[in-house]
Amino acid sequence: MKPGSVPPFSELIKDCHRSAVHLEMRDMYGVASEADDFAEWQTHGHISAESIERRRPWLNLVREAAGRGVTMRRARIVSLPASAYIRYEHAGTYLNVEAGEQVRWLPRRDAATLALPGADLWLLDDRLIRFGHFSGDGASAGHELNEDKEVIKFCAAAFETVWERATPHERFEI
């Protein structure tokens, strides 16, 4: 599906019944919707009540999906020492976990021997991939859907290998 015709994630997750896994592999994202939260965190060093409110739609989406039995897992491959952005993500991940998402972290050094896809992705029910593309500065460059069974098989195996090697959020220190 062409990048401009990809439905919002909130629509895709509604058709998900079993699992939604997310593989993140960048050390910096410059997504416009997070700019205020990231700047606020850099200034104050914590996730503010206002930031939590701005995340409420995502957190509600996770709660709703988990409530209908969808297992949501996110694996992040990160460089250490961590970038400011990754420290910001780590500081707010407790909210994802409280909403029902399982999150694990894998130091990039421990991923060196893995065959990985070339872009971040969401894999929904082992039937549909939503690739996330980003510019060099981390800005969103659009999304792309893929239903190719071989691509899905490769991405699912890559995610599971990362997941097995990664450390649960509760035990991962930045």
Side-chain angles (χ1 to χ4, degrees), residues 23 25 77 106 108 111-119 121 154-155 157-159 161-162:
L23 181 59
M25 298 180 286
I77 298 173
L106 182 65
R108 191 167 310 284
T113 60
L114 301 179
L116 297 169
L121 63 90
F154 168 74
C155 291
F159 178 87
T161 302
V162 169

Side-chain angles (χ1 to χ4, degrees), residues 4-143:
S5 61
V6 174
F9 184 78
S10 59
E11 289 181 26
L12 295 174
I13 196 72
K14 287 179 183 177
D15 290 332
C16 191
H17 303 287
R18 294 180 318 280
S19 66
V21 301
H22 189 30
L23 181 59
E24 294 181 355
M25 298 180 286
R26 296 182 55 92
D27 286 324
M28 173 62 190
Y29 294 89
V31 180
S33 63
E34 294 179 338
D36 290 343
D37 291 340
F38 183 44
E40 206 172 78
W41 176 83
Q42 286 182 300
T43 300
H44 303 294
H46 67 275
I47 303 298
S48 70
E50 294 82 9
S51 178
I52 294 170
E53 279 309 306
R54 287 189 290 266
R55 296 169 193 226
R56 188 80 48 214
W58 172 255
L59 299 173
N60 288 343
L61 187 70
V62 171
R63 279 188 190 90
E64 189 277 327
R68 8 182 216 99
V70 176
T71 300
M72 293 186 76
R73 297 183 295 159
R74 179 185 306 252
R76 292 179 171 142
I77 298 173
V78 298
S79 298
L80 295 177
S83 68
Y85 183 85
I86 293 301
R87 292 192 313 274
Y88 153 75
E89 275 194 331
H90 189 267
T93 295
Y94 77 95
L95 295 164
N96 297 59
V97 172
E98 287 176 357
E101 195 174 350
Q102 300 170 46
V103 180
R104 290 188 181 181
W105 303 80
L106 182 65
R108 191 167 310 284
R109 180 175 297 278
D110 296 338
T113 60
L114 301 179
L116 297 169
D120 287 11
L121 63 90
W122 277 97
L123 174 56
L124 307 170
D125 284 341
D126 290 322
R127 65 171 175 75
L128 177 67
I129 295 173
R130 178 182 177 252
F131 285 111
H133 300 291
F134 297 89
S135 64
D137 65 0
S140 177
H143 299 94

Side-chain angles (χ1 to χ4, degrees), residues 141-154:
H143 299 94
E144 175 185 355
L145 296 182
N146 189 301
E147 296 177 278
D148 182 287
K149 292 184 186 328
E150 289 304 312
V151 174
I152 288 170
K153 183 178 174 182
F154 168 74

